[in-house]
Amino acid sequence: MNTRRIEVPVLTRVEGEGALYARIEKKQVTDLRLRIFEPPRFFEKFLQGRSWKEVPDIVARICGICPVAYQMSATHAIENAFKATITPEIRALRRLYYCGEWMESHSLHIHLLAAPDFLGYPSAMAMAKDHPEVVKRGMHLQGLGNRILKIFGGRPVNPVGVRVGGFYRAPSRQEARELLELLQSALPSAEALVRWTANLKLPEVNRPAPFVSLRHPNEYPMNEGRLVSSQGLNIGAAEFEHHMIEYQVPHSTALHAHLQGQPYWVGPLARLNNNLDRLPPETATLLQETGISWPSTNPYHSIIARALEVHLALLEAVHLLKHYHRPRQAYVAIEPRAGIGMAATEAPRGTLWHRYELDAEGFVRQARIVPPTSQNQAQMEADMRASILESLDFDDEALRLRLESGIRNYDPCISCSTHFLRLEIERA
């Protein structure tokens, strides 16, 4: 009986640190563990005792790639606790702000993290030598998203322009006009991106699982909506913790989550599958051109879903800027009160849920944050089990590459989920 072991010291092109261990005996996976060993960061504990005014700036530091999602989920939850009412103008500004994050995060993932897998390169730097136009397109689209974040947040990383009730300032008319011109000129690049991803040679696999996302009555969900699943779930954010059950596993510092006793899937592919009828007509046309039968259960189609959402976010931003009128005040007055508030928004990587208990003066008594990567961990392990069984004839290096690319489909943000990849495979 032979035992084969593969070790990869670091999984590149994901955010954070972890390891994957698998043991194969008699063509069966007898053990598989996605081990997250990055230390917990205790942000929920840091928030206890802090004022409601401080929360948006603190949570923005949980993730340098998707700070908007943390700020938006937090402000919505606190506003719900305070029974605050937000104006349509501020709601539109928040959607524009979120468009920027989807553009920068998805563009980074597609071009710098995922594309090397499908073009046969170990890194984006190596890929850039032969495909400079691919990397340039990605950097350009990412830069436009960062520009939106900087206008609202003062800076694209750890932005500080958000407050409960709105923003500290709204863009000037001149800023809006200049941004509109830049975004309109980028629409052909976004269209080309969708067609380019659809023409990549992607593995054909099938991973049926409950797809979970927000769903809004009349728009593609970003900031608002009810939580739905492809298996019939339809709940408000206040019911999240009664259905999505978190639990600890011995091999990971990040919690796992189940929905009705089984793994589930959040992220751009889940969001797209659940909201195909909410796409704007231009994006829906591009989706039809892909030739893929949607909804899709192939995680490798996530790169196409991200490209479609880049196009959607660009269209949404253009629409919002065309109708932009600078409000006299970019926020509504907030009066703190004792209460509990919950909210979910759609981070680039999937649904992000926050819960806050606040006292009468608005100080945080308790905070709970459930990031998308934690929700996807159990599904990632199920996916890797299936991938191994489909790839038993692969040599160790080819199997390692398949598993790494499979993990990257979920774009895991390990630092967010610890409040990879060292890969070890044993074949007996």
Side-chain angles (χ1 to χ4, degrees):
M1 179 170 60
N2 293 327
T3 297
R4 301 172 63 185
R5 175 177 296 178
I6 299 175
E7 293 189 17
V8 183
V10 178
L11 173 65
T12 58
R13 291 182 272 131
V14 298
E15 195 289 323
E17 302 176 54
L20 181 66
Y21 168 82
R23 182 173 178 83
I24 307 165
E25 296 183 77
K26 297 180 180 179
K27 297 186 177 183
Q28 295 297 319
V29 181
T30 57
D31 190 13
L32 186 140
R33 286 168 274 163
L34 180 58
R35 299 187 302 203
I36 306 304
F37 49 78
E38 187 160 320
R41 299 168 70 208
F42 302 113
F43 268 92
E44 291 154 315
K45 192 66 177 178
F46 294 159
L47 288 164
Q48 289 184 18
R50 308 304 289 263
S51 167
W52 59 278
K53 297 178 181 179
E54 298 177 275
V55 173
D57 287 346
I58 293 174
V59 298
R61 284 148 177 81
I62 293 176
C63 182
I65 300 173
C66 47
V68 173
Y70 283 89
Q71 290 180 318
M72 291 296 96
S73 290
T75 54
H76 279 281
I78 294 171
E79 288 159 4
N80 288 339
F82 292 164
K83 310 298 183 186
T85 301
I86 302 302
T87 65
E89 292 81 8
I90 292 172
R91 183 182 182 277
L93 291 178
R94 285 177 167 174
R95 190 164 176 85
L96 176 57
Y97 188 44
Y98 228 135
C99 286
E101 178 154 282
W102 278 21
M103 288 169 59
E104 62 87 8
S105 179
H106 283 343
S107 298
L108 183 153
H109 175 85
I110 292 168
H111 296 88
L112 302 186
L113 306 183
D117 287 329
F118 309 121
L119 296 180
Y121 294 91
S123 68
M125 295 297 290
M127 183 181 71
K129 295 178 181 179
D130 296 330
H131 301 277
E133 74 288 349
V134 172
V135 176
K136 287 179 180 177
R137 178 183 60 206
M139 298 302 290
H140 176 61
L141 291 170
Q142 182 189 3
L144 290 175
N146 281 335
R147 188 182 180 100
I148 296 174
L149 267 61
K150 185 176 181 180
I151 288 173
F152 282 97
R155 58 195 188 199
V157 180
N158 304 143
V160 292
V162 172
R163 57 185 290 170
V164 178
F167 296 90
Y168 287 102
R169 69 176 293 272
S172 68
R173 292 181 180 178
Q174 180 65 23
E175 287 174 318
R177 281 195 297 267
E178 292 175 355
L179 181 59
L180 176 58
E181 290 179 7
L182 290 170
L183 297 182
Q184 285 177 318
S185 67
L187 281 169
S189 292
E191 294 172 5
L193 174 60
V194 175
R195 296 186 177 105
W196 179 79
T197 57
N199 285 321
L200 291 171
K201 188 175 181 180
L202 304 173
E204 290 293 336
V205 301
N206 179 35
R207 302 285 184 267
F211 292 104
V212 173
S213 73
L214 293 182
R215 182 165 169 84
H216 191 272
N218 50 39
E219 66 186 18
Y220 200 84
M222 289 184 185
N223 262 314
E224 300 168 359
R226 290 178 63 80
L227 284 154
V228 303
S229 81
S230 55
Q231 296 185 352
L233 182 76
N234 189 335
I235 60 173
E239 302 171 79
F240 176 96
E241 59 189 336
H242 304 301
H243 293 265
M244 283 66 171
I245 307 301
E246 286 191 297
Y247 60 97
Q248 187 74 59
V249 294
H251 55 270
S252 177
T253 56
L255 296 174
H256 284 212
H258 272 175
L259 170 61
Q260 297 172 341
Q262 62 179 321
Y264 64 97
W265 194 341
V266 300
L269 187 61
R271 200 159 48 224
L272 181 64
N273 284 339
N274 287 343
N275 292 280
L276 291 167
D277 58 344
R278 297 291 186 265
L279 293 172
E282 301 92 331
T283 308
T285 297
L286 288 170
L287 177 132
Q288 293 299 321
E289 288 181 15
T290 66
I292 295 168
S293 178
W294 302 94
S296 169
T297 56
N298 182 354
Y300 287 95
H301 289 162
S302 294
I303 191 172
I304 304 172
R306 289 185 176 91
L308 287 161
E309 288 193 340
V310 169
H311 185 262
L312 177 145
L314 197 54
L315 281 176
E316 286 277 335
V318 166
H319 172 77
L320 291 166
L321 287 166
K322 281 182 176 180
H323 298 86
Y324 177 68
H325 297 282
R326 191 179 195 189
R328 294 181 61 185
Q329 185 170 279
Y331 60 90
V332 298
I334 297 293
E335 290 294 331
R337 58 190 289 179
I340 297 173
M342 288 153 277
T345 70
E346 284 292 341
R349 290 166 177 81
T351 308
L352 170 64
W353 183 81
H354 284 219
R355 178 189 187 276
Y356 296 93
E357 180 180 349
L358 302 110
D359 66 19
E361 295 181 340
F363 287 93
V364 178
R365 298 181 62 183
Q366 190 177 53
R368 185 179 170 207
I369 297 171
V370 183
T373 295
S374 287
Q375 297 177 70
N376 274 337
Q377 297 244 10
Q379 174 58 27
M380 282 192 278
E381 287 192 348
D383 190 340
M384 293 307 97
R385 284 181 177 270
S387 292
I388 290 173
L389 292 176
E390 292 167 349
S391 312
L392 290 173
D393 294 335
F394 286 23
D395 63 31
D396 289 347
E397 178 64 12
L399 180 55
R400 179 186 67 81
L401 292 173
R402 173 57 63 90
L403 295 177
E404 284 194 85
S405 68
I407 290 290
R408 277 191 284 270
N409 286 328
Y410 296 87
D411 195 15
C413 189
I414 303 304
S415 294
C416 292
S417 68
T418 57
H419 325 299
F420 105 136
L421 171 76
R422 184 182 179 88
L423 173 61
E424 185 177 308
I425 299 176
E426 291 187 4
R427 302 183 192 236

